[in-house]
Each structure stands twice: as structure tokens, then as C-alpha cells.
Amino acid sequence: LSKVELKNVKTGMKMAYTIVSESEANLKQGKISVTTPIAQGLLGKKVGDVAEITIPQGKISLEITGISF
């Protein structure tokens, strides 16, 4: 149940997600499953790291700006 604050390096758009189990996932509430490509790409990263994540629309670079539990 980590809350991760991200910034899209290309667009500057900021977002925040809570990483939860598959059964709790609800994108409208900002909860993404630990099995999603975004969550998988963030595992093991720390604040300041940039994660290169492959999503169906292509590759995105997300900078981790905050992590809370």
C-alpha cells in the first residue's frame, strides 16, 4: 500500500497512485494493481529515480517525486 507521486518527464504532468493488490485496484480512486506495467516499472525505485515504462501506447518516462506508506 505505497502511495507514489510521479511526474511525466516529457509532459510535466503530475499524478499520484496507490499501489494495491489486484482485488483492490480502482483507477478512478487512484489505486493501481501491483501487476500493472506502471507498478512493475516502479518496483525497487526511490525518490528522484526515473522509470522507463512500456505501456500499450509506447514508452513513458516517469520521475518519482514522492513515496509514502
Side-chain angles (χ1 to χ4, degrees):
L1 290 173
S2 299
K3 183 174 182 178
V4 183
E5 296 172 23
L6 307 165
K7 181 175 83 172
N8 185 315
V9 173
K10 187 175 181 180
T11 66
M13 187 175 120
K14 294 182 180 183
M15 59 202 88
Y17 295 115
T18 302
I19 300 174
V20 298
S21 68
E22 263 189 85
S23 62
E24 296 178 78
N26 184 327
L27 192 55
K28 288 182 182 179
Q29 294 178 353
K31 296 178 181 179
I32 60 171
S33 168
V34 70
T35 60
T36 62
I38 291 176
Q40 289 292 306
L42 297 174
L43 292 178
K45 302 282 193 262
K46 60 186 185 303
V47 174
D49 286 352
V50 175
E52 294 282 331
I53 300 171
T54 302
I55 58 172
Q57 294 82 10
K59 270 196 170 189
I60 57 171
S61 298
L62 299 174
E63 179 183 351
I64 301 169
T65 59
I67 299 174
S68 57
F69 299 95

